[in-house]
Amino acid sequence: MIKGKDVSMRQLRYFVAAADAGQFSQAALKVHVSQSAITAAVQHLEETMGVSLFDRLPYGVTLTAEGNKFAQHARHILETLQDALSEPLFLSHSTRGSVRVGASYTVLGYFLPALLARFKRNYPQVEIELVDIDRHSIEQAVNNGDLDLGLVIVSNTPSLNVFSHQVLIRSRRQLWLAIQHPLMTASSINLEDVAQHAYILATVDEGDSSTFRYWASRGLAPNVAFRTSSMEALRGMVGHGFGVAILSDMLYRPWSLEGKRIEARPLTDVIPPMELGLIWRPDKQLSISAQAFRQFLIMACTS
């Protein structure tokens, strides 16, 4: 219950930074303030709402159910303000046309829907023609002109120099595990520790090949017990304690479909982030609508 105290945009921004980072210290570095400023902002919000927004753990913080719901509202408020400040409304509302965009499973399921909704609020006269295909097909379609833009995991793209591109997000990879898993009691975890346990391997969007790349760079390999292209199946397996997985924060959800809790723990090894970005042909002049969509995504993600 709200107790009548004022809540500032700065406090919302600090709270979202803490939710994204999973540690108050890392959130402070991200927004260039002291850790005490992050702590004070979160405490103020918790006192104002009368609920705990984070569970405090030895290795960091994780959102409570109430915190997860509030984070969605806080992000919406911050995004709406950013959109209002970044584009003159009379220009965005007068732009008409269509944009052909290719996107893969991960992008469509976990990245694009909320951004599409924001774009349509700002550009109601622009139609987005979405095509659901894999990365290789997206690259071919962009190259031959069938698509204006491609949204792909650029960290999986070997021929990135062929395209003009913009990295939109770099999503940290962490270890996912059940709350009863033996590694939950460890003060720190590295890949050698993970190799001793059953591993659930996600194959969607070349997840298997990217996984084996960074494991091989350490001279190790995961103990794969199960492979799946279904993220919900993976969450169920991890949540029930049948294995662990290392996946990006963009894909993380704290609960399986069956209501099993899934924790995310950082690893001491340097694991490359998942990089998601835009690609387009360098020699092709994009339409005004395509330029607007490209610029919107860049501004929305880099802000």
Side-chain angles (χ1 to χ4, degrees), residues 104-124:
S104 60
Y105 170 87
T106 300
V107 177
L108 286 171
Y110 298 92
F111 173 75
L112 199 51
L115 286 168
L116 280 179
R118 289 173 61 187
F119 181 79
K120 287 298 290 183
R121 287 197 298 269
N122 289 279
Y123 294 86

Side-chain angles (χ1 to χ4, degrees), residues 62-267:
T62 184
L63 287 169
T64 62
E66 293 84 0
N68 189 60
K69 185 175 181 180
F70 182 67
Q72 296 176 37
H73 292 299
R75 288 190 178 96
H76 178 73
I77 292 168
L78 294 172
E79 289 164 356
T80 301
L81 175 62
Q82 180 60 37
D83 291 346
L85 295 174
S86 63
E87 186 76 40
L89 293 179
F90 72 91
L91 290 178
S92 60
H93 278 67
S94 65
T95 302
R96 296 174 179 269
S98 63
V99 189
R100 294 166 297 169
V101 181
S104 60
Y105 170 87
T106 300
V107 177
L108 286 171
Y110 298 92
F111 173 75
L112 199 51
L115 286 168
L116 280 179
R118 289 173 61 187
F119 181 79
K120 287 298 290 183
R121 287 197 298 269
N122 289 279
Y123 294 86
Q125 305 301 321
V126 176
E127 295 299 323
I128 306 295
E129 301 175 18
L130 272 180
V131 182
D132 179 2
I133 49 178
D134 60 57
R135 176 189 60 81
H136 181 67
S137 299
I138 291 171
E139 292 173 11
Q140 285 185 323
V142 169
N143 203 34
N144 64 28
D146 290 336
L147 292 173
D148 298 311
L149 299 163
L151 276 162
V152 298
I153 299 175
V154 294
S155 48
N156 290 341
T157 303
S159 55
L160 197 55
N161 60 323
V162 174
F163 303 97
S164 293
H165 72 280
Q166 173 71 46
V167 175
L168 298 176
I169 63 167
R170 292 181 172 88
S171 184
R172 171 187 55 177
R173 287 184 168 106
Q174 296 195 89
L175 180 69
W176 296 10
L177 67 173
I179 57 173
Q180 73 272 19
H181 195 278
L183 286 176
M184 277 296 295
T185 61
S187 57
S188 63
I189 307 170
N190 59 29
L191 284 181
E192 288 187 0
D193 299 324
V194 178
Q196 306 305 312
H197 298 271
Y199 192 92
I200 312 300
L201 182 65
T203 60
V204 65
D205 272 352
E206 303 168 283
D208 46 353
S209 58
S210 61
T211 295
F212 287 128
R213 274 200 303 271
Y214 64 76
W215 276 86
S217 70
R218 299 283 296 169
L220 297 167
N223 178 22
V224 178
F226 185 67
R227 299 168 183 256
T228 180
S229 62
S230 166
M231 288 303 303
E232 296 309 329
L234 183 144
R235 286 193 184 88
M237 298 288 283
V238 171
H240 281 281
F242 291 115
V244 299
I246 298 172
L247 287 165
S248 79
D249 287 350
M250 187 185 82
L251 304 176
Y252 176 70
R253 301 292 184 273
W255 305 98
S256 72
L257 286 178
E258 307 89 353
K260 294 292 184 179
R261 178 79 184 187
I262 299 168
E263 294 289 341
R265 291 284 306 273
L267 293 157

